[in-house]
Coordinates of all heavy atoms in Angstrom, one line a residue:
M665 N 0.8 -1.2 0.0 CA 0.1 0.0 0.0 C 0.9 1.3 0.0 O 2.1 1.3 0.4 CB -0.9 0.1 1.2 CG -0.1 0.0 2.5 SD -1.3 -0.2 4.1 CE -1.8 1.6 4.2
F666 N 0.3 2.4 -0.5 CA 0.9 3.6 -0.3 C 0.3 4.3 0.8 O -0.9 4.3 1.1 CB 0.7 4.4 -1.6 CG 1.4 4.0 -2.8 CD1 0.8 3.5 -3.9 CD2 2.8 4.2 -2.8 CE1 1.5 3.1 -5.0 CE2 3.5 3.7 -3.9 CZ 2.8 3.3 -5.0
N667 N 1.1 5.0 1.6 CA 0.6 5.7 2.8 C 1.3 7.0 2.9 O 2.4 7.2 3.1 CB 1.0 4.9 4.1 CG 0.2 5.5 5.3 OD1 -0.7 6.4 5.1 ND2 0.6 5.1 6.5
P668 N 0.6 8.2 2.7 CA -1.0 8.2 2.6 C -1.4 7.8 1.1 O -0.6 7.8 0.3 CB -1.4 9.7 2.8 CG -0.1 10.5 2.4 CD 1.0 9.5 2.8
A669 N -2.6 7.4 0.9 CA -3.2 6.9 -0.3 C -4.0 7.9 -1.0 O -4.6 7.7 -2.1 CB -4.0 5.6 -0.1
F670 N -4.3 9.1 -0.3 CA -5.2 10.1 -0.9 C -4.7 11.6 -0.6 O -4.4 11.8 0.6 CB -6.6 10.0 -0.4 CG -7.5 10.9 -1.1 CD1 -8.2 10.5 -2.3 CD2 -7.8 12.2 -0.5 CE1 -9.0 11.3 -2.9 CE2 -8.8 13.0 -1.0 CZ -9.4 12.7 -2.3
M671 N -4.5 12.3 -1.6 CA -4.0 13.7 -1.2 C -4.8 14.7 -2.2 O -5.1 14.3 -3.3 CB -2.5 13.8 -1.5 CG -1.7 13.1 -0.6 SD -0.2 12.3 -1.3 CE -1.0 10.8 -1.9
T672 N -5.0 15.8 -1.7 CA -5.6 16.9 -2.6 C -4.6 18.0 -2.9 O -3.8 18.3 -2.2 CB -6.8 17.5 -2.0 OG1 -6.4 18.1 -0.8 CG2 -7.9 16.5 -1.9
V673 N -4.5 18.4 -4.2 CA -3.7 19.6 -4.7 C -4.6 20.5 -5.5 O -5.6 20.1 -5.9 CB -2.5 18.9 -5.5 CG1 -1.6 18.1 -4.6 CG2 -2.9 18.3 -6.7
R674 N -4.0 21.7 -5.8 CA -4.7 22.5 -6.6 C -4.1 22.6 -8.1 O -2.9 22.3 -8.3 CB -4.6 23.9 -6.1 CG -5.2 24.3 -4.9 CD -6.7 24.6 -5.1 NE -7.5 24.7 -3.8 CZ -8.7 24.7 -3.6 NH1 -9.5 24.5 -4.8 NH2 -9.2 25.0 -2.5
Q675 N -5.1 22.8 -9.0 CA -4.7 22.8 -10.4 C -3.5 23.7 -10.6 O -3.5 24.9 -10.1 CB -5.9 23.2 -11.3 CG -5.6 23.2 -12.7 CD -6.9 23.5 -13.5 OE1 -7.8 24.2 -13.1 NE2 -7.0 23.0 -14.9
G676 N -2.6 23.3 -11.4 CA -1.3 24.2 -11.6 C -0.3 23.9 -10.6 O 0.8 24.5 -11.0
D677 N -0.5 23.3 -9.5 CA 0.5 23.1 -8.6 C 1.6 22.1 -9.2 O 1.3 21.2 -9.9 CB 0.0 22.4 -7.3 CG -0.6 23.4 -6.4 OD1 -0.6 24.7 -6.8 OD2 -1.2 23.0 -5.4
K678 N 2.9 22.3 -8.8 CA 3.8 21.2 -9.0 C 3.9 20.3 -7.8 O 4.0 20.8 -6.8 CB 5.2 21.9 -9.1 CG 6.3 20.9 -9.4 CD 7.6 21.6 -9.9 CE 8.6 20.5 -10.1 NZ 9.8 20.4 -9.0
V679 N 3.6 19.0 -8.0 CA 3.8 18.0 -7.0 C 5.0 17.4 -6.9 O 5.5 16.8 -8.1 CB 2.6 17.0 -7.3 CG1 2.6 15.8 -6.1 CG2 1.1 17.5 -7.4
D680 N 5.7 17.6 -5.9 CA 7.0 16.8 -5.6 C 6.7 15.8 -4.6 O 6.4 16.0 -3.4 CB 8.0 17.9 -5.0 CG 8.5 18.9 -5.9 OD1 8.8 18.5 -7.1 OD2 8.5 20.1 -5.7
L681 N 6.9 14.5 -5.0 CA 6.7 13.4 -4.3 C 7.9 12.6 -3.9 O 8.8 12.3 -4.7 CB 5.7 12.4 -5.1 CG 5.3 11.1 -4.6 CD1 4.5 11.3 -3.4 CD2 4.7 10.2 -5.6
T682 N 8.1 12.3 -2.7 CA 9.2 11.6 -2.1 C 8.7 10.3 -1.5 O 7.7 10.3 -0.8 CB 9.9 12.3 -1.0 OG1 10.4 13.5 -1.6 CG2 11.1 11.5 -0.5
V683 N 9.1 9.2 -2.1 CA 8.6 7.8 -1.6 C 9.8 7.0 -0.9 O 10.9 7.1 -1.6 CB 8.2 7.1 -2.9 CG1 7.7 5.7 -2.5 CG2 6.9 7.8 -3.5
F684 N 9.5 6.5 0.0 CA 10.4 5.5 0.7 C 9.9 4.1 0.8 O 8.7 4.0 1.2 CB 10.9 6.1 2.1 CG 11.9 5.0 2.7 CD1 13.2 5.3 2.4 CD2 11.6 4.0 3.6 CE1 14.1 4.3 2.9 CE2 12.5 3.2 4.3 CZ 13.7 3.4 3.9
V685 N 10.5 3.2 0.2 CA 10.0 1.9 0.2 C 10.4 1.0 1.4 O 11.4 0.7 1.7 CB 10.5 1.1 -1.1 CG1 9.8 -0.3 -1.1 CG2 10.3 1.9 -2.3
V686 N 9.2 0.7 2.2 CA 9.4 -0.1 3.4 C 9.3 -1.6 3.2 O 10.1 -2.4 3.6 CB 8.4 0.3 4.5 CG1 8.5 -0.5 5.8 CG2 8.6 1.9 4.8
N687 N 8.3 -1.9 2.5 CA 7.9 -3.4 2.3 C 8.0 -3.8 0.8 O 7.7 -2.9 -0.1 CB 6.4 -3.7 2.8 CG 6.5 -3.6 4.5 OD1 7.5 -4.2 5.1 ND2 5.6 -3.0 4.9
G688 N 8.2 -5.0 0.5 CA 8.2 -5.5 -0.9 C 9.5 -5.3 -1.5 O 10.1 -4.2 -1.4
D689 N 10.0 -6.2 -2.2 CA 11.2 -6.0 -2.8 C 11.3 -5.0 -3.8 O 12.2 -4.2 -3.9 CB 11.7 -7.5 -3.5 CG 12.1 -8.6 -2.3 OD1 12.5 -8.0 -1.3 OD2 12.0 -9.6 -2.7
K690 N 10.4 -5.0 -4.9 CA 10.4 -4.0 -5.8 C 8.9 -3.7 -6.3 O 7.9 -4.4 -6.1 CB 11.1 -4.6 -7.1 CG 10.5 -5.7 -7.8 CD 11.2 -5.9 -9.1 CE 10.6 -7.0 -9.9 NZ 10.4 -6.7 -11.3
H691 N 8.8 -2.4 -6.8 CA 7.5 -1.9 -7.2 C 7.6 -1.3 -8.4 O 8.3 -0.2 -8.5 CB 7.1 -1.0 -6.1 CG 6.9 -1.5 -4.7 ND1 5.8 -2.2 -4.2 CD2 7.9 -1.6 -3.7 CE1 6.1 -2.6 -3.1 NE2 7.3 -2.3 -2.7
E692 N 7.0 -1.7 -9.5 CA 7.1 -1.0 -10.8 C 6.0 0.1 -10.7 O 4.7 -0.3 -10.9 CB 6.8 -1.9 -12.0 CG 7.0 -1.3 -13.2 CD 6.5 -2.1 -14.4 OE1 5.5 -2.8 -14.3 OE2 7.1 -2.3 -15.4
S693 N 6.1 1.3 -10.6 CA 5.3 2.4 -10.3 C 5.3 3.5 -11.4 O 6.3 3.7 -12.0 CB 5.4 3.1 -9.0 OG 5.5 2.0 -8.0
W694 N 4.2 4.0 -11.6 CA 3.9 5.3 -12.5 C 2.8 6.1 -12.1 O 2.1 5.7 -11.3 CB 3.9 4.8 -13.9 CG 2.6 4.1 -14.4 CD1 1.6 4.7 -14.9 CD2 2.3 2.8 -14.1 NE1 0.6 3.8 -15.2 CE2 1.0 2.6 -14.7 CE3 3.0 1.6 -13.5 CZ2 0.4 1.3 -14.7 CZ3 2.3 0.5 -13.5 CH2 1.1 0.3 -14.1
I695 N 2.6 7.3 -12.6 CA 1.6 8.2 -12.3 C 0.9 8.5 -13.7 O 1.5 8.9 -14.6 CB 2.1 9.4 -11.6 CG1 2.6 9.0 -10.2 CG2 0.8 10.3 -11.3 CD1 3.3 10.2 -9.4
T696 N -0.6 8.4 -13.6 CA -1.3 8.9 -14.7 C -2.1 10.0 -14.3 O -2.6 10.3 -13.3 CB -2.2 7.7 -15.2 OG1 -3.2 7.4 -14.2 CG2 -1.5 6.5 -15.8
D697 N -2.4 10.9 -15.5 CA -3.4 11.9 -15.3 C -4.9 11.5 -15.4 O -5.1 10.3 -15.7 CB -3.0 13.1 -16.2 CG -3.5 12.9 -17.7 OD1 -4.1 11.9 -18.0 OD2 -3.0 13.7 -18.6
P698 N -5.9 12.4 -15.3 CA -7.3 12.0 -15.3 C -7.7 11.4 -16.6 O -8.6 10.6 -16.6 CB -8.0 13.2 -15.1 CG -7.1 14.2 -14.3 CD -5.8 13.8 -14.9
D699 N -6.9 11.6 -17.7 CA -7.2 10.9 -19.0 C -6.5 9.7 -19.2 O -6.4 9.1 -20.4 CB -6.8 11.8 -20.1 CG -7.7 13.1 -20.0 OD1 -8.9 13.2 -19.8 OD2 -7.3 14.3 -20.3
G700 N -5.5 9.3 -18.2 CA -4.9 8.0 -18.3 C -3.6 8.2 -19.0 O -2.8 7.1 -19.2
R701 N -3.2 9.4 -19.3 CA -1.8 9.6 -19.7 C -0.7 9.6 -18.7 O -1.0 10.1 -17.6 CB -1.8 11.1 -20.4 CG -1.4 11.2 -21.9 CD -1.5 12.6 -22.4 NE -1.4 13.6 -21.4 CZ -0.4 14.4 -21.2 NH1 0.7 14.2 -21.8 NH2 -0.4 15.3 -20.2
E702 N 0.3 8.9 -19.1 CA 1.5 8.9 -18.0 C 2.1 10.3 -17.9 O 2.7 10.8 -18.8 CB 2.7 7.8 -18.7 CG 2.4 6.3 -18.1 CD 3.6 5.5 -18.5 OE1 4.7 5.9 -18.6 OE2 3.3 4.4 -18.7
V703 N 2.2 10.7 -16.6 CA 2.9 11.9 -16.4 C 4.3 11.6 -15.7 O 5.1 12.5 -15.6 CB 2.0 13.0 -15.6 CG1 0.8 13.5 -16.5 CG2 1.5 12.3 -14.3
V704 N 4.2 10.5 -15.0 CA 5.6 10.0 -14.5 C 5.7 8.6 -15.1 O 4.8 7.7 -14.9 CB 5.5 9.9 -12.9 CG1 6.8 9.3 -12.4 CG2 5.4 11.4 -12.3
T705 N 6.8 8.4 -15.8 CA 6.9 7.1 -16.5 C 7.3 6.0 -15.5 O 7.8 6.2 -14.5 CB 8.1 7.2 -17.6 OG1 9.2 7.6 -17.0 CG2 7.7 8.2 -18.7
K706 N 7.0 4.8 -16.0 CA 7.2 3.6 -15.1 C 8.7 3.5 -14.8 O 9.5 3.6 -15.6 CB 6.8 2.3 -16.0 CG 5.4 2.0 -15.9 CD 5.2 0.7 -16.7 CE 3.6 0.6 -17.0 NZ 3.2 -0.5 -17.7
T707 N 8.9 3.3 -13.5 CA 10.2 2.9 -13.0 C 10.1 1.9 -11.8 O 9.0 1.9 -11.2 CB 10.9 4.2 -12.5 OG1 10.0 4.9 -11.6 CG2 11.4 5.0 -13.5
I708 N 11.2 1.4 -11.6 CA 11.2 0.3 -10.5 C 11.7 0.9 -9.2 O 12.8 1.6 -9.2 CB 12.1 -0.9 -10.9 CG1 11.7 -1.6 -12.2 CG2 12.1 -2.0 -9.7 CD1 10.5 -2.4 -12.1
W709 N 10.9 0.8 -8.2 CA 11.3 1.1 -6.8 C 11.7 0.0 -6.0 O 10.8 -1.0 -5.9 CB 10.1 2.0 -6.2 CG 9.9 3.3 -6.9 CD1 10.6 4.0 -7.9 CD2 8.5 4.1 -6.7 NE1 10.0 5.1 -8.2 CE2 8.8 5.2 -7.6 CE3 7.5 4.1 -5.9 CZ2 7.8 6.2 -7.7 CZ3 6.6 5.0 -6.1 CH2 6.6 6.0 -6.9
N710 N 12.9 0.1 -5.3 CA 13.3 -1.1 -4.6 C 13.3 -0.8 -3.1 O 13.4 0.3 -2.6 CB 14.7 -1.4 -5.0 CG 14.8 -1.9 -6.4 OD1 14.2 -2.9 -6.7 ND2 15.6 -1.2 -7.2
R711 N 13.1 -1.8 -2.3 CA 13.1 -1.7 -0.8 C 14.3 -1.1 -0.2 O 15.4 -1.3 -0.7 CB 12.9 -3.1 -0.3 CG 12.6 -3.1 1.3 CD 13.1 -4.4 2.0 NE 12.6 -5.7 1.3 CZ 11.6 -6.5 1.6 NH1 11.0 -6.0 2.6 NH2 11.3 -7.5 1.0
G712 N 13.9 -0.2 0.7 CA 14.9 0.5 1.5 C 15.6 1.7 0.9 O 16.6 2.2 1.3
R713 N 15.0 2.1 -0.3 CA 15.5 3.3 -1.0 C 14.4 4.4 -1.1 O 13.3 4.0 -1.0 CB 16.0 2.9 -2.4 CG 17.2 2.1 -2.3 CD 17.9 1.9 -3.7 NE 18.1 3.3 -4.3 CZ 18.3 3.4 -5.7 NH1 18.3 2.6 -6.5 NH2 18.5 4.7 -6.0
E714 N 14.9 5.6 -1.3 CA 14.0 6.7 -1.5 C 14.1 7.1 -2.9 O 15.0 7.2 -3.6 CB 14.6 7.8 -0.6 CG 13.6 9.1 -0.6 CD 14.1 10.1 0.6 OE1 13.9 9.9 1.7 OE2 14.8 10.9 0.1
Y715 N 12.8 7.6 -3.4 CA 12.7 8.1 -4.7 C 11.9 9.3 -4.8 O 11.2 9.5 -3.9 CB 12.0 7.1 -5.6 CG 12.8 5.7 -5.6 CD1 12.5 4.7 -4.7 CD2 13.7 5.4 -6.6 CE1 13.1 3.5 -4.7 CE2 14.3 4.3 -6.6 CZ 14.1 3.2 -5.8 OH 14.9 2.1 -5.7
K716 N 12.3 10.3 -5.7 CA 11.7 11.5 -5.8 C 11.2 11.7 -7.3 O 11.9 11.4 -8.2 CB 12.6 12.6 -5.6 CG 13.1 12.8 -4.2 CD 14.0 13.9 -3.9 CE 14.7 13.9 -2.5 NZ 13.7 14.2 -1.6
V717 N 9.9 11.9 -7.5 CA 9.4 12.2 -8.8 C 8.5 13.5 -8.7 O 8.1 13.8 -7.6 CB 8.4 11.0 -9.2 CG1 9.2 9.8 -9.4 CG2 7.3 10.7 -8.3
S718 N 8.2 14.0 -9.8 CA 7.3 15.3 -9.7 C 6.5 15.4 -11.0 O 6.9 14.8 -12.1 CB 8.2 16.5 -9.5 OG 9.1 16.7 -10.5
F719 N 5.5 16.1 -10.9 CA 4.7 16.4 -12.2 C 3.8 17.6 -11.9 O 3.7 18.1 -10.7 CB 3.6 15.2 -12.4 CG 2.7 14.9 -11.4 CD1 1.4 15.6 -11.4 CD2 2.9 14.2 -10.4 CE1 0.4 15.3 -10.4 CE2 2.0 13.8 -9.2 CZ 0.7 14.4 -9.3
I720 N 3.4 18.3 -12.9 CA 2.5 19.5 -12.7 C 1.1 19.0 -12.9 O 0.7 18.2 -13.7 CB 2.8 20.5 -14.0 CG1 4.2 20.8 -14.0 CG2 1.8 21.7 -13.7 CD1 4.7 21.6 -12.8
A721 N 0.2 19.4 -12.0 CA -1.3 19.0 -11.9 C -2.0 19.9 -12.9 O -2.7 20.8 -12.4 CB -1.7 19.2 -10.4
E722 N -1.8 19.7 -14.1 CA -2.5 20.6 -15.2 C -3.9 20.3 -15.2 O -4.7 21.3 -15.5 CB -1.9 20.2 -16.6 CG -0.5 20.8 -16.7 CD 0.2 20.3 -18.0 OE1 -0.4 19.6 -18.8 OE2 1.4 20.7 -18.3
K723 N -4.5 19.2 -15.1 CA -5.9 18.8 -15.2 C -6.6 18.6 -13.9 O -6.0 18.1 -13.0 CB -6.1 17.6 -16.0 CG -5.4 17.7 -17.5 CD -5.5 16.4 -18.2 CE -4.7 16.4 -19.6 NZ -4.5 15.1 -20.2
V724 N -7.9 19.1 -13.8 CA -8.7 18.9 -12.7 C -9.2 17.4 -12.7 O -9.5 16.9 -13.8 CB -9.9 19.8 -12.7 CG1 -10.9 19.4 -11.6 CG2 -9.5 21.3 -12.5
G725 N -9.2 16.7 -11.6 CA -9.6 15.3 -11.5 C -8.5 14.4 -10.8 O -7.6 15.0 -10.3
P726 N -8.8 13.1 -10.9 CA -7.8 12.3 -10.1 C -6.5 11.8 -10.9 O -6.7 11.4 -12.1 CB -8.7 11.0 -9.8 CG -9.7 11.0 -11.0 CD -9.9 12.4 -11.4
Y727 N -5.4 12.1 -10.3 CA -4.3 11.4 -10.9 C -4.0 10.2 -9.9 O -4.1 10.3 -8.7 CB -3.0 12.4 -10.6 CG -3.0 13.6 -11.7 CD1 -4.0 14.5 -11.8 CD2 -1.9 13.8 -12.5 CE1 -3.9 15.6 -12.7 CE2 -1.9 14.9 -13.4 CZ -2.8 15.7 -13.6 OH -2.9 16.6 -14.5
Q728 N -3.4 9.2 -10.7 CA -3.2 7.9 -10.0 C -1.9 7.5 -9.9 O -1.2 7.5 -11.0 CB -4.1 6.8 -10.8 CG -5.6 7.0 -10.9 CD -6.4 6.8 -9.5 OE1 -5.9 6.2 -8.6 NE2 -7.6 7.2 -9.5
L729 N -1.4 7.2 -8.7 CA -0.2 6.6 -8.5 C -0.4 5.0 -8.5 O -1.2 4.6 -7.6 CB 0.6 7.1 -7.3 CG 1.8 6.4 -6.8 CD1 2.9 6.4 -7.8 CD2 2.2 6.9 -5.5
I730 N 0.3 4.3 -9.3 CA -0.1 2.8 -9.4 C 1.2 1.9 -9.3 O 2.2 2.4 -9.7 CB -0.7 2.5 -10.8 CG1 -2.0 3.4 -11.0 CG2 -1.1 1.1 -11.0 CD1 -2.3 3.7 -12.4
C731 N 1.1 0.8 -8.6 CA 2.1 -0.1 -8.7 C 1.7 -1.4 -9.3 O 0.7 -2.0 -8.9 CB 2.6 -0.5 -7.2 SG 3.6 -1.9 -7.1
S732 N 2.4 -1.8 -10.4 CA 1.8 -2.9 -11.2 C 2.0 -4.2 -10.4 O 1.2 -5.2 -10.7 CB 2.4 -3.0 -12.5 OG 3.8 -3.2 -12.5
E733 N 3.0 -4.3 -9.6 CA 3.2 -5.5 -8.8 C 2.1 -5.9 -7.9 O 1.8 -7.1 -7.7 CB 4.6 -5.5 -8.1 CG 5.7 -4.9 -8.8 CD 6.4 -5.8 -9.8 OE1 6.5 -7.0 -9.6 OE2 6.9 -5.3 -10.8
H734 N 1.6 -4.8 -7.3 CA 0.5 -4.9 -6.3 C -0.8 -4.4 -6.5 O -1.5 -4.0 -5.5 CB 1.2 -4.6 -5.0 CG 2.5 -5.1 -4.7 ND1 3.8 -4.4 -4.7 CD2 2.9 -6.5 -4.3 CE1 4.7 -5.1 -4.5 NE2 4.2 -6.4 -4.2
A735 N -1.1 -4.2 -7.9 CA -2.5 -3.8 -8.1 C -3.5 -4.8 -7.9 O -3.1 -6.0 -7.8 CB -2.3 -3.4 -9.7
P736 N -4.7 -4.5 -7.5 CA -5.1 -3.0 -7.5 C -5.0 -2.5 -6.0 O -5.4 -1.2 -5.9 CB -6.6 -3.1 -7.9 CG -7.0 -4.5 -7.2 CD -5.7 -5.4 -7.3
T737 N -4.5 -3.0 -5.1 CA -4.6 -2.6 -3.7 C -3.4 -1.5 -3.6 O -3.6 -0.5 -2.7 CB -4.4 -3.7 -2.7 OG1 -3.2 -4.4 -3.0 CG2 -5.6 -4.5 -2.6
M738 N -2.3 -1.5 -4.3 CA -1.2 -0.6 -4.0 C -1.4 0.6 -5.0 O -0.9 0.4 -6.1 CB 0.1 -1.2 -4.2 CG 1.2 -0.3 -3.7 SD 2.8 -1.2 -3.8 CE 3.9 0.2 -3.1
A739 N -2.2 1.6 -4.6 CA -2.5 2.7 -5.4 C -2.7 3.9 -4.5 O -3.1 3.7 -3.4 CB -3.7 2.5 -6.3
A740 N -2.5 5.0 -5.2 CA -2.8 6.3 -4.4 C -3.4 7.3 -5.4 O -3.1 7.1 -6.6 CB -1.5 6.7 -3.7
T741 N -4.1 8.2 -4.9 CA -4.9 9.1 -5.6 C -4.4 10.6 -5.1 O -4.4 10.9 -4.0 CB -6.4 9.2 -5.6 OG1 -6.8 7.7 -5.9 CG2 -7.1 10.1 -6.4
F742 N -4.1 11.4 -6.3 CA -3.9 12.9 -6.0 C -5.2 13.5 -6.6 O -5.2 13.5 -7.9 CB -2.6 13.4 -6.7 CG -1.4 12.8 -6.2 CD1 -1.0 11.6 -6.7 CD2 -0.7 13.4 -5.2 CE1 0.2 11.0 -6.3 CE2 0.5 12.8 -4.7 CZ 1.0 11.6 -5.2
L743 N -6.0 14.1 -5.9 CA -7.2 14.7 -6.5 C -7.0 16.1 -6.7 O -6.6 16.9 -5.8 CB -8.4 14.6 -5.5 CG -9.7 15.1 -6.1 CD1 -10.1 14.4 -7.4 CD2 -10.8 14.9 -5.0
V744 N -7.0 16.5 -8.0 CA -6.6 17.9 -8.3 C -8.0 18.7 -8.3 O -8.9 18.5 -9.0 CB -5.9 18.0 -9.7 CG1 -5.7 19.5 -10.0 CG2 -4.7 17.2 -9.7
L745 N -8.0 19.8 -7.5 CA -9.1 20.7 -7.4 C -8.9 21.9 -8.1 O -7.7 22.4 -8.4 CB -9.3 21.1 -5.9 CG -9.5 20.0 -4.9 CD1 -9.5 20.4 -3.5 CD2 -10.7 19.1 -5.2
P746 N -10.0 22.6 -8.7 CA -9.9 23.8 -9.5 C -9.2 24.8 -8.7 O -9.5 25.1 -7.5 CB -11.3 24.1 -9.9 CG -12.1 22.9 -9.6 CD -11.4 22.2 -8.6
R747 N -8.3 25.7 -9.4 CA -7.8 26.8 -8.7 C -8.8 27.9 -8.7 O -9.6 28.1 -9.6 CB -6.7 27.3 -9.4 CG -5.9 28.4 -8.8 CD -4.4 28.6 -9.4 NE -3.5 27.5 -8.9 CZ -3.0 27.3 -7.8 NH1 -3.3 28.1 -6.8 NH2 -2.2 26.3 -7.5
K748 N -9.0 28.6 -7.4 CA -10.2 29.5 -7.2 C -9.6 30.8 -7.8 O -8.5 31.1 -7.8 CB -10.4 29.7 -5.9 CG -11.4 28.5 -5.4 CD -11.5 28.5 -3.9 CE -12.3 27.2 -3.4 NZ -12.3 27.0 -2.0
Ligands
LIG1696 CU1 4.1 -2.5 -5.0

């Protein structure tokens, strides 16, 4: 699982994500925008290491962080809210 698994951000924000892998040997992970387009390309995350990825939250709606090894339970959502 990802913890936290739900975050909200504002449209146009740059999301800087730092992930530390506690459990599981490896996780093939990526992030998609609300239209299913990859905004962070697939990479392998290994246990005991820290990874940094970032993307711009251009579209309103759910961005999904997915791990193919442990789908569908290992997923997280960044819900992008309209900028006021
Ligand atoms: Cu995983």
Side-chain angles (χ1 to χ4, degrees):
M665 61 186 281
F666 289 111
N667 187 11
F670 186 87
M671 292 141 279
T672 55
V673 300
R674 288 284 177 193
Q675 186 176 22
D677 283 353
K678 180 171 183 252
V679 179
D680 291 312
L681 179 67
T682 302
V683 177
F684 182 79
V685 181
V686 178
N687 290 313
D689 288 338
K690 68 173 184 135
H691 306 271
E692 185 192 44
S693 303
W694 70 100
I695 298 176
T696 58
D697 74 6
D699 299 320
R701 234 171 28 100
E702 268 186 36
V703 293
V704 172
T705 55
K706 275 184 194 175
T707 46
I708 303 286
W709 294 346
N710 295 302
R711 189 206 305 262
R713 291 194 52 200
E714 186 176 276
Y715 298 88
K716 290 179 192 291
V717 297
S718 59
F719 65 93
I720 306 290
E722 287 173 358
K723 299 173 185 170
V724 171
Y727 283 63
Q728 303 284 347
L729 168 60
I730 303 152
C731 167
S732 67
E733 317 282 330
H734 307 108
T737 51
M738 191 171 178
T741 302
F742 299 87
L743 183 60
V744 179
L745 305 174
R747 185 163 290 286
K748 284 174 188 166

